[in-house]
Amino acid sequence: MNLLAKVVLTTALFSGVAQAGVVVIGNPNGPDALSKSQVSKLYLGKSKKLPNGSKASVLEQAKGNAVRDEFHGAITGKSDAQLQAYWSRLVFTGKGKPPKALGSSASVKNSVASNINAIGYIDEADLDASVKVVFKP
């Protein structure tokens, strides 16, 4: 194998590990899949129900978390400042309240695993059998 092929192969392997990415998770007994539009509506309070009609329990990562920034950049298209302004307006007018924020991916994963109607998002590297992926951007 020539040197160029080795460099390309090594780069491909490391870039795959470094770009695990964010995934939306659900309880193993919850919905099988959600669309980007459904996830966005749930996280912006525009929808409160899962596809099966049950009330969704939407879980958010804490402010300042890199996974939170990646998720909202890919799904809702809003920065943290835009999200704060969005939710401030809805809370002030009594039209909604933001999703419950938890301090870590482990907390989000444990809460989703224990609630059939919960959805959350974590880094793909933190996945295990206690939850399932319902959407991957």
Side-chain angles (χ1 to χ4, degrees):
M1 186 181 296
N2 69 23
L3 180 61
L4 180 59
K6 289 179 183 177
V7 170
V8 170
L9 180 62
T10 303
T11 302
L13 289 173
F14 284 111
S15 67
V17 171
Q19 296 177 353
V22 66
V23 291
V24 179
I25 56 171
N27 185 286
N29 297 317
D32 289 329
L34 296 172
S35 69
K36 180 179 178 179
S37 174
Q38 289 171 317
V39 173
S40 179
K41 287 178 181 177
L42 286 167
Y43 274 91
L44 293 176
K46 295 178 180 177
S47 174
K48 299 187 183 317
K49 296 191 177 197
L50 294 171
N52 64 8
S54 59
K55 184 176 181 193
S57 176
V58 181
L59 302 171
E60 180 83 82
Q61 296 270 355
K63 290 180 184 173
N65 186 316
V67 175
R68 177 183 168 122
D69 294 340
E70 182 181 346
F71 171 79
H72 283 290
I75 302 298
T76 65
K78 295 189 182 296
S79 68
D80 210 38
Q82 290 170 322
L83 274 174
Q84 186 172 353
Y86 177 84
W87 282 113
S88 292
R89 183 171 33 90
L90 289 180
V91 168
F92 182 74
T93 59
K95 294 182 178 176
K97 64 179 192 176
K100 181 179 178 181
L102 299 176
S104 69
S105 290
S107 297
V108 171
K109 188 171 54 177
N110 290 337
S111 294
V112 170
S114 64
N115 182 345
I116 193 169
N117 295 322
I119 66 165
Y121 58 87
I122 61 174
D123 189 280
E124 191 172 14
D126 296 328
L127 273 175
D128 63 24
S130 67
V131 295
K132 67 180 174 184
V133 175
V134 294
F135 181 74
K136 184 176 179 180

